[in-house]
Amino acid sequence: MSLIRSLGYLRVEATDVPAWREFGVKVLGMVEGRGPDPSAVYLRMDDLPARIVVVPGSRDRLAASGWEVASPSSFAQLVTAFEEAGVAVKVAGADELADRRVAQMVAVDDPSGNRLEFFSGAALDTRPALSAYGTRFVTGTQGMGHVVLPAFDDAASLHFWTEILGFRLRDTMRLVPEHIGLPHTDEALWMRFLGCNPRHHSVALAPIPAPSGLIHLMTETATIDDVGLAIDRCVKNKAPLISTLGRHANDDMISFYVRTPSGFDIEYGFGGLTVDDHTWVARQTTAHSVWGHRFAHGGH
């Protein structure tokens, strides 16, 4: 059983914060929130104060992904699990807790150096997050979506995410190196899809180099019209579409991909599969998509 409830937030460092404000509100249909850092942009999807926090930085990168833990007791269990596994833990001080608007938080690095923040006791924003475009996002028990992170040691990554964090392996996909811009190798390259709640996967791990530290973030909307309207907004606002519309083979998501101002992609979708771990069987997916998802060069 995973102690992790869901993907809670992303913290992004950006060289062009105003571009993110425009992108988040006018393209993604999110709502600008308020926060303690006047130089940051806070993007809301629901009753959390921010699901994406963009802060000024010298380069564009994912600073951390934030993962919600259900309770103080689960949080204590998680810290103990890290300590027993020899994982270095950084405990948040008062300033960081105030900045994140949470009661407790620790930060660790996974075996590939991805910075992860685990928190409990998040403050909520009672003001409704009403999108100017009527966009409604699927969050709740499923969290804000999923992330695909670069990971290059398959065994170490699987041990960390499944044995320490308690995620469940939902699917595996064998990658063709040439298709992801890597030189040919006879060794198998595996992409792992891992879940911690009913969403098919909250994290996927792939041996794909990512200069920003993030391959993509997926956000899910309540209707297929939300997706179509977002495609129209991409065209209107000249946001770079990275793929055509398509349906993924493993989680059934109908989605497209768009490039963010920080260089990673956002998968924007509808209709993702939810699973019951009591009946789910982890298998190897042999196709990326059932249809569509024709990618421009460099998209994932």
Side-chain angles (χ1 to χ4, degrees):
M1 184 69 180
S2 178
L3 296 171
I4 312 306
R5 184 175 183 271
S6 64
L7 177 63
Y9 59 77
L10 294 190
R11 290 186 65 82
V12 177
E13 289 183 5
T15 55
D16 190 345
V17 175
W20 259 103
R21 178 181 287 108
E22 291 281 307
F23 179 79
V25 174
K26 293 187 176 180
V27 175
L28 301 180
M30 294 183 182
V31 177
E32 186 171 3
R34 297 180 296 210
D37 182 353
S39 67
V41 167
Y42 298 89
L43 296 173
R44 298 181 62 201
M45 299 167 65
D46 54 12
D47 56 358
L48 263 71
R51 290 292 193 171
I52 301 176
V53 179
V54 184
V55 299
S58 58
R59 65 188 183 97
D60 290 288
R61 71 183 190 98
L62 175 66
S65 55
W67 298 86
E68 185 162 22
V69 181
S71 66
S73 60
S74 295
F75 187 87
Q77 286 179 263
L78 180 65
V79 172
T80 299
F82 285 140
E83 291 170 347
E84 290 177 349
V87 176
V89 175
K90 179 181 179 291
V91 179
D95 287 350
E96 277 188 306
L97 294 177
D99 184 61
R100 306 300 194 272
R101 291 176 278 191
V102 298
Q104 296 174 290
M105 191 191 91
V106 294
V108 307
D109 290 341
D110 83 350
S112 295
N114 298 302
R115 175 50 60 105
L116 313 172
E117 297 180 353
F118 298 93
F119 67 92
S120 70
L124 296 181
D125 190 331
T126 54
R127 296 173 305 139
L130 299 176
S131 168
Y133 306 99
T135 308
R136 289 176 296 126
F137 293 95
V138 176
T139 57
T141 59
Q142 297 189 53
M144 73 174 289
H146 73 238
V147 284
V148 181
L149 300 174
F152 301 97
D153 185 330
D154 187 56
S157 295
L158 272 179
H159 174 78
F160 177 88
W161 284 90
T162 62
E163 299 300 320
I164 300 175
L165 295 181
F167 279 66
R168 277 85 73 186
L169 179 65
R170 297 268 170 78
D171 263 313
T172 290
M173 186 184 296
R174 184 166 182 161
L175 301 178
V176 178
E178 294 89 337
H179 290 177
I180 56 174
L182 297 176
H184 174 77
T185 175
D186 291 329
E187 290 186 22
L189 293 180
W190 300 109
M191 185 171 182
R192 307 290 190 177
F193 298 85
L194 305 164
C196 61
N197 58 47
R199 192 183 289 282
H200 177 272
H201 59 283
S202 292
V203 64
L205 306 170
I208 299 173
S212 68
L214 177 61
I215 297 166
H216 76 249
L217 161 72
M218 188 285 299
T219 59
E220 183 177 357
T221 59
T223 73
I224 190 65
D225 288 341
D226 289 326
V227 176
L229 290 166
I231 292 175
D232 286 349
R233 293 196 301 273
C234 287
V235 174
K236 179 180 178 181
N237 293 282
K238 298 181 171 56
L241 287 165
I242 299 303
S243 84
T244 60
L245 194 68
R247 184 193 284 275
H248 279 307
N250 62 349
D251 68 354
D252 292 343
M253 189 75 70
I254 298 174
S255 61
F256 70 95
Y257 290 70
V258 59
R259 183 132 306 160
T260 69
S262 288
F264 60 83
D265 296 339
I266 285 186
E267 178 187 0
Y268 200 97
F270 159 76
L273 184 68
T274 57
V275 304
D276 179 351
D277 278 306
H278 293 101
T279 57
W280 183 256
V281 178
R283 295 192 169 106
Q284 187 181 148
T285 306
T286 55
H288 181 263
S289 299
V290 179
W291 53 266
H293 284 144
R294 290 185 297 279
F295 282 87
H297 181 69
H300 303 294

Coordinates of all heavy atoms in Angstrom, one line a residue, residues 7 62 65 67 110 112 114 116 145-152 154 157-158 161 167-173 175 190-196 199-208 210 213-218 248 250-251 257 267 288 300:
L7 N 0.0 13.0 -7.0 CA 0.8 14.1 -7.4 C 0.2 15.4 -7.0 O -1.0 15.7 -7.4 CB 1.0 14.0 -9.0 CG 1.9 15.2 -9.6 CD1 3.3 15.2 -9.1 CD2 1.8 15.1 -11.1
L62 N 12.6 21.8 -14.1 CA 11.7 21.3 -13.1 C 12.5 21.3 -11.8 O 13.5 20.6 -11.6 CB 11.2 19.9 -13.3 CG 10.4 19.3 -12.2 CD1 9.0 20.0 -12.0 CD2 10.1 17.8 -12.5
S65 N 9.0 17.9 -8.1 CA 7.6 17.5 -8.1 C 7.1 17.3 -6.6 O 7.9 16.7 -5.8 CB 7.4 16.3 -8.9 OG 8.2 15.2 -8.5
W67 N 4.5 15.6 -3.8 CA 3.6 14.5 -3.7 C 2.9 14.5 -2.4 O 3.6 14.7 -1.3 CB 4.5 13.2 -3.8 CG 5.1 13.1 -5.2 CD1 6.3 13.6 -5.5 CD2 4.6 12.5 -6.3 NE1 6.6 13.4 -6.9 CE2 5.5 12.6 -7.4 CE3 3.4 11.8 -6.6 CZ2 5.3 12.1 -8.6 CZ3 3.2 11.2 -7.8 CH2 4.2 11.4 -8.9
D110 N 15.5 11.0 -6.0 CA 15.4 9.6 -6.4 C 16.7 9.1 -7.0 O 17.6 9.9 -7.2 CB 14.1 9.3 -7.3 CG 14.4 9.7 -8.8 OD1 15.4 10.3 -9.1 OD2 13.5 9.3 -9.6
S112 N 17.8 8.7 -9.9 CA 18.2 9.5 -11.1 C 18.4 11.0 -10.8 O 18.6 11.7 -11.7 CB 17.2 9.3 -12.2 OG 17.2 7.9 -12.6
N114 N 16.1 13.0 -9.5 CA 14.9 13.8 -9.6 C 14.5 14.3 -8.2 O 14.3 13.5 -7.3 CB 13.7 13.0 -10.2 CG 14.0 12.6 -11.6 OD1 14.3 13.4 -12.5 ND2 14.0 11.3 -11.9
L116 N 12.2 15.3 -5.3 CA 10.8 15.0 -4.9 C 10.5 15.6 -3.6 O 11.4 15.5 -2.7 CB 10.6 13.5 -4.8 CG 11.1 12.6 -6.0 CD1 11.0 11.2 -5.7 CD2 10.4 13.0 -7.3
G145 N -2.5 15.0 -12.0 CA -2.2 14.3 -13.3 C -1.0 13.4 -13.1 O -0.9 12.7 -12.1
H146 N -0.2 13.3 -14.2 CA 1.0 12.5 -14.0 C 2.2 13.2 -14.6 O 2.1 14.1 -15.4 CB 0.9 11.1 -14.7 CG 0.9 11.0 -16.2 ND1 -0.2 10.6 -16.9 CD2 1.8 11.4 -17.1 CE1 0.1 10.6 -18.2 NE2 1.3 11.1 -18.4
V147 N 3.4 12.7 -14.2 CA 4.7 13.3 -14.7 C 5.5 12.1 -15.3 O 5.4 11.0 -14.8 CB 5.5 14.0 -13.6 CG1 5.0 15.3 -13.3 CG2 5.7 13.1 -12.4
V148 N 6.2 12.4 -16.3 CA 7.2 11.4 -16.9 C 8.6 12.0 -16.6 O 8.9 13.1 -17.1 CB 7.0 11.2 -18.4 CG1 8.0 10.2 -18.9 CG2 5.5 10.7 -18.6
L149 N 9.3 11.3 -15.8 CA 10.6 11.7 -15.3 C 11.7 10.9 -16.0 O 11.6 9.7 -16.2 CB 10.7 11.5 -13.8 CG 9.7 12.3 -13.0 CD1 9.9 12.0 -11.5 CD2 9.9 13.8 -13.2
P150 N 12.9 11.5 -16.2 CA 14.0 10.7 -16.8 C 14.6 9.8 -15.7 O 14.8 10.2 -14.5 CB 15.0 11.8 -17.2 CG 14.7 13.0 -16.3 CD 13.2 12.9 -16.1
A151 N 14.9 8.5 -16.1 CA 15.4 7.6 -15.1 C 16.3 6.6 -15.9 O 15.9 6.0 -16.9 CB 14.3 6.8 -14.4
F152 N 17.5 6.4 -15.5 CA 18.5 5.6 -16.3 C 19.0 4.4 -15.6 O 19.7 3.6 -16.2 CB 19.7 6.6 -16.6 CG 19.2 7.8 -17.4 CD1 19.0 9.0 -16.7 CD2 19.0 7.7 -18.7 CE1 18.6 10.1 -17.4 CE2 18.5 8.8 -19.5 CZ 18.3 10.0 -18.8
D154 N 17.2 1.2 -14.3 CA 15.9 0.7 -14.1 C 15.7 -0.1 -12.8 O 14.7 0.1 -12.1 CB 15.6 -0.3 -15.3 CG 14.2 -0.8 -15.4 OD1 13.3 0.0 -15.4 OD2 14.0 -2.1 -15.4
S157 N 15.6 2.4 -9.8 CA 14.4 3.2 -9.9 C 13.2 2.5 -9.5 O 12.3 2.9 -8.7 CB 14.2 3.8 -11.3 OG 15.2 4.7 -11.6
L158 N 13.0 1.2 -10.0 CA 11.9 0.4 -9.6 C 11.9 0.1 -8.1 O 10.9 0.1 -7.4 CB 11.9 -0.9 -10.4 CG 11.2 -0.9 -11.7 CD1 11.3 -2.3 -12.4 CD2 9.7 -0.5 -11.6
W161 N 10.8 3.4 -6.2 CA 9.4 3.9 -6.4 C 8.4 2.8 -5.9 O 7.4 3.2 -5.4 CB 9.2 4.2 -7.8 CG 9.7 5.5 -8.2 CD1 11.0 5.8 -8.7 CD2 9.1 6.8 -8.1 NE1 11.2 7.1 -8.9 CE2 10.0 7.8 -8.6 CE3 7.9 7.3 -7.7 CZ2 9.7 9.2 -8.6 CZ3 7.6 8.6 -7.7 CH2 8.5 9.6 -8.2
F167 N 4.6 2.6 -4.8 CA 3.8 2.7 -6.0 C 3.6 1.3 -6.6 O 4.5 0.4 -6.4 CB 4.6 3.6 -7.0 CG 4.4 5.1 -6.8 CD1 4.8 5.7 -5.7 CD2 3.7 5.8 -7.8 CE1 4.7 7.1 -5.5 CE2 3.5 7.2 -7.6 CZ 4.0 7.8 -6.5
R168 N 2.6 1.1 -7.4 CA 2.4 -0.2 -8.1 C 2.7 -0.1 -9.5 O 2.3 0.9 -10.2 CB 0.9 -0.6 -7.9 CG 0.6 -1.2 -6.6 CD 0.3 -0.2 -5.5 NE -1.0 0.4 -5.7 CZ -1.5 1.4 -4.9 NH1 -0.7 1.9 -3.9 NH2 -2.7 1.9 -5.1
L169 N 3.4 -1.1 -10.0 CA 3.7 -1.1 -11.4 C 2.5 -1.5 -12.2 O 1.9 -2.5 -12.0 CB 4.8 -2.2 -11.7 CG 5.2 -2.4 -13.2 CD1 5.9 -1.1 -13.7 CD2 6.1 -3.6 -13.3
R170 N 2.0 -0.6 -13.1 CA 0.8 -0.7 -13.8 C 1.0 -1.2 -15.2 O 0.2 -2.0 -15.8 CB 0.0 0.6 -13.8 CG -0.4 1.1 -12.4 CD -1.8 0.6 -12.1 NE -2.2 0.8 -10.7 CZ -2.6 1.9 -10.2 NH1 -2.7 3.0 -10.9 NH2 -3.0 2.0 -8.9
D171 N 2.1 -0.8 -15.8 CA 2.5 -1.2 -17.2 C 3.9 -1.0 -17.5 O 4.6 -0.2 -16.8 CB 1.7 -0.3 -18.2 CG 0.4 -1.0 -18.7 OD1 0.5 -2.2 -19.1 OD2 -0.6 -0.3 -18.7
T172 N 4.4 -1.7 -18.5 CA 5.8 -1.5 -19.0 C 5.7 -1.4 -20.5 O 4.9 -2.0 -21.1 CB 6.7 -2.7 -18.6 OG1 6.9 -2.6 -17.2 CG2 8.0 -2.6 -19.3
M173 N 6.6 -0.5 -21.0 CA 6.7 -0.4 -22.5 C 8.1 -0.5 -22.9 O 9.0 0.2 -22.3 CB 6.1 1.0 -23.0 CG 6.0 1.2 -24.5 SD 5.4 2.8 -24.9 CE 3.8 2.8 -24.2
L175 N 11.1 0.5 -25.3 CA 11.4 1.6 -26.1 C 12.4 1.2 -27.2 O 13.3 0.4 -26.9 CB 11.9 2.8 -25.3 CG 11.0 3.3 -24.2 CD1 11.7 4.5 -23.5 CD2 9.7 3.8 -24.8
W190 N 13.4 0.2 -21.0 CA 12.0 0.1 -20.5 C 11.5 1.4 -20.0 O 12.2 2.1 -19.3 CB 12.0 -1.0 -19.3 CG 12.5 -2.3 -19.7 CD1 13.6 -2.9 -19.3 CD2 11.8 -3.3 -20.6 NE1 13.7 -4.2 -19.9 CE2 12.6 -4.4 -20.7 CE3 10.6 -3.2 -21.3 CZ2 12.2 -5.5 -21.4 CZ3 10.2 -4.3 -22.0 CH2 11.0 -5.5 -22.1
M191 N 10.2 1.6 -20.3 CA 9.5 2.7 -19.7 C 8.5 2.1 -18.7 O 7.8 1.2 -19.1 CB 8.8 3.5 -20.8 CG 8.1 4.8 -20.3 SD 7.5 5.8 -21.7 CE 6.7 7.2 -20.8
R192 N 8.5 2.6 -17.5 CA 7.7 2.0 -16.4 C 6.6 3.0 -16.1 O 6.9 4.2 -15.9 CB 8.6 1.8 -15.2 CG 9.8 0.9 -15.5 CD 9.5 -0.5 -15.8 NE 10.7 -1.3 -15.8 CZ 10.6 -2.7 -16.0 NH1 9.5 -3.3 -16.3 NH2 11.8 -3.4 -16.0
F193 N 5.4 2.5 -15.9 CA 4.2 3.3 -15.6 C 3.8 2.9 -14.2 O 3.4 1.7 -14.0 CB 3.1 3.1 -16.6 CG 3.5 3.6 -18.0 CD1 4.1 2.7 -18.8 CD2 3.1 4.8 -18.4 CE1 4.5 3.1 -20.1 CE2 3.5 5.2 -19.7 CZ 4.2 4.4 -20.6
L194 N 3.7 3.8 -13.2 CA 3.5 3.5 -11.8 C 2.4 4.3 -11.3 O 2.2 5.5 -11.5 CB 4.8 3.8 -11.0 CG 6.1 3.1 -11.5 CD1 7.3 3.7 -10.9 CD2 6.0 1.6 -11.2
G195 N 1.5 3.6 -10.4 CA 0.4 4.3 -9.9 C 0.3 4.3 -8.4 O 0.9 3.4 -7.8
C196 N -0.4 5.2 -7.8 CA -0.5 5.3 -6.3 C -2.0 5.6 -5.9 O -2.3 5.7 -4.7 CB 0.4 6.3 -5.7 SG 0.1 8.0 -6.2
R199 N -5.9 6.6 -10.7 CA -5.4 7.0 -12.0 C -4.4 6.0 -12.5 O -3.6 5.5 -11.7 CB -4.6 8.4 -11.9 CG -4.3 9.0 -13.2 CD -3.6 10.4 -13.1 NE -4.3 11.4 -12.5 CZ -5.2 12.2 -13.2 NH1 -5.5 11.9 -14.5 NH2 -5.9 13.2 -12.6
H200 N -4.5 5.7 -13.8 CA -3.6 4.6 -14.3 C -2.2 4.7 -13.9 O -1.5 3.8 -13.5 CB -3.8 4.5 -15.9 CG -2.9 3.5 -16.5 ND1 -1.6 3.7 -16.9 CD2 -3.1 2.2 -16.8 CE1 -1.1 2.6 -17.4 NE2 -2.0 1.6 -17.3
H201 N -1.6 5.9 -14.1 CA -0.3 6.1 -13.6 C -0.1 7.6 -13.2 O -0.7 8.5 -13.8 CB 0.8 5.7 -14.6 CG 0.8 6.4 -15.9 ND1 -0.1 6.1 -16.9 CD2 1.5 7.4 -16.4 CE1 0.1 6.8 -18.0 NE2 1.1 7.7 -17.7
S202 N 0.6 7.8 -12.1 CA 0.9 9.1 -11.6 C 2.3 9.5 -11.9 O 2.7 10.7 -11.9 CB 0.7 9.3 -10.1 OG -0.7 9.2 -9.8
V203 N 3.1 8.5 -12.2 CA 4.5 8.8 -12.6 C 4.9 7.7 -13.7 O 4.5 6.6 -13.5 CB 5.5 8.8 -11.5 CG1 5.6 7.4 -10.8 CG2 6.9 9.2 -11.9
A204 N 5.6 8.1 -14.7 CA 6.3 7.2 -15.6 C 7.7 7.5 -15.6 O 8.1 8.7 -15.5 CB 5.7 7.3 -17.0
L205 N 8.5 6.5 -15.7 CA 10.0 6.6 -15.7 C 10.5 6.1 -17.0 O 10.2 5.0 -17.5 CB 10.6 5.8 -14.5 CG 10.0 6.1 -13.2 CD1 10.5 5.0 -12.2 CD2 10.4 7.5 -12.7
A206 N 11.3 7.0 -17.7 CA 11.8 6.6 -19.0 C 13.3 7.0 -19.2 O 13.7 8.1 -18.7 CB 11.0 7.4 -20.1
P207 N 14.1 6.2 -19.8 CA 15.5 6.5 -20.0 C 15.7 7.5 -21.2 O 16.5 7.2 -22.1 CB 16.1 5.1 -20.3 CG 15.0 4.4 -21.0 CD 13.7 4.8 -20.4
I208 N 15.1 8.6 -21.1 CA 15.1 9.6 -22.1 C 15.7 10.9 -21.5 O 15.3 11.4 -20.5 CB 13.7 10.0 -22.6 CG1 13.0 8.7 -23.2 CG2 13.7 11.1 -23.6 CD1 11.5 8.9 -23.5
A210 N 16.4 14.6 -20.6 CA 15.5 15.7 -20.6 C 16.3 16.9 -20.0 O 16.5 16.9 -18.7 CB 14.3 15.4 -19.7
G213 N 14.8 18.4 -17.0 CA 14.5 17.5 -15.9 C 13.1 16.9 -15.8 O 12.7 16.2 -14.9
L214 N 12.3 17.2 -16.9 CA 10.9 16.7 -17.0 C 10.6 16.4 -18.4 O 10.9 17.2 -19.3 CB 9.9 17.7 -16.4 CG 8.4 17.3 -16.5 CD1 8.1 16.1 -15.7 CD2 7.6 18.5 -16.1
I215 N 10.1 15.2 -18.7 CA 9.8 14.8 -20.1 C 8.4 15.4 -20.4 O 8.2 16.1 -21.4 CB 9.9 13.3 -20.3 CG1 11.3 12.8 -20.0 CG2 9.4 12.9 -21.7 CD1 11.5 11.3 -19.9
H216 N 7.4 15.1 -19.6 CA 6.1 15.8 -19.7 C 5.3 15.7 -18.5 O 5.5 14.8 -17.6 CB 5.3 15.4 -21.0 CG 4.6 14.1 -20.9 ND1 5.0 12.9 -21.6 CD2 3.5 13.7 -20.2 CE1 4.2 11.9 -21.4 NE2 3.3 12.3 -20.5
L217 N 4.4 16.6 -18.4 CA 3.3 16.6 -17.4 C 2.0 16.4 -18.1 O 1.8 16.9 -19.2 CB 3.2 18.0 -16.7 CG 1.9 18.3 -15.9 CD1 1.8 17.5 -14.6 CD2 1.8 19.8 -15.6
M218 N 1.2 15.5 -17.5 CA -0.2 15.3 -18.1 C -1.2 15.9 -17.2 O -1.2 15.7 -15.9 CB -0.5 13.8 -18.2 CG -1.8 13.5 -19.0 SD -3.3 13.7 -18.1 CE -3.1 12.6 -16.7
H248 N -3.9 7.0 -26.3 CA -2.8 6.1 -25.8 C -3.4 4.7 -25.6 O -4.5 4.5 -25.2 CB -2.2 6.6 -24.5 CG -1.2 7.7 -24.7 ND1 -0.2 7.6 -25.5 CD2 -1.1 9.0 -24.1 CE1 0.6 8.7 -25.5 NE2 0.0 9.6 -24.7
N250 N -2.2 2.4 -23.4 CA -2.3 1.8 -22.0 C -3.3 2.5 -21.1 O -4.0 1.8 -20.4 CB -0.9 1.8 -21.4 CG -0.3 3.1 -21.2 OD1 -0.8 4.1 -21.7 ND2 0.8 3.2 -20.5
D251 N -3.4 3.8 -21.1 CA -4.3 4.4 -20.2 C -5.6 5.0 -20.9 O -6.4 5.7 -20.2 CB -3.6 5.5 -19.4 CG -3.2 6.7 -20.2 OD1 -3.3 6.7 -21.4 OD2 -2.7 7.7 -19.5
Y257 N -0.1 17.0 -27.3 CA 1.0 17.5 -26.5 C 1.4 18.9 -27.0 O 1.4 19.2 -28.2 CB 2.3 16.6 -26.7 CG 2.1 15.3 -26.0 CD1 1.3 14.3 -26.5 CD2 2.9 14.9 -24.9 CE1 1.1 13.0 -25.9 CE2 2.8 13.7 -24.3 CZ 1.9 12.8 -24.8 OH 1.8 11.5 -24.2
E267 N 1.0 17.1 -21.8 CA 0.0 16.3 -22.4 C -1.3 16.7 -21.8 O -1.5 16.8 -20.6 CB 0.2 14.8 -22.1 CG -0.8 13.9 -22.7 CD -0.8 12.4 -22.3 OE1 0.1 12.1 -21.5 OE2 -1.6 11.7 -22.7
H288 N 2.4 2.5 -28.5 CA 2.3 3.8 -27.8 C 0.9 4.3 -27.8 O 0.4 4.8 -26.8 CB 3.3 4.8 -28.5 CG 3.3 6.1 -27.8 ND1 2.6 7.2 -28.3 CD2 4.0 6.6 -26.7 CE1 2.8 8.2 -27.5 NE2 3.7 7.9 -26.6
H300 N 7.7 14.0 -26.9 CA 7.5 12.7 -26.2 C 6.1 12.6 -25.7 O 5.7 13.5 -24.9 CB 8.5 12.6 -25.0 CG 10.0 12.8 -25.5 ND1 10.6 11.9 -26.3 CD2 10.9 13.7 -25.2 CE1 11.8 12.3 -26.5 NE2 12.0 13.4 -25.9

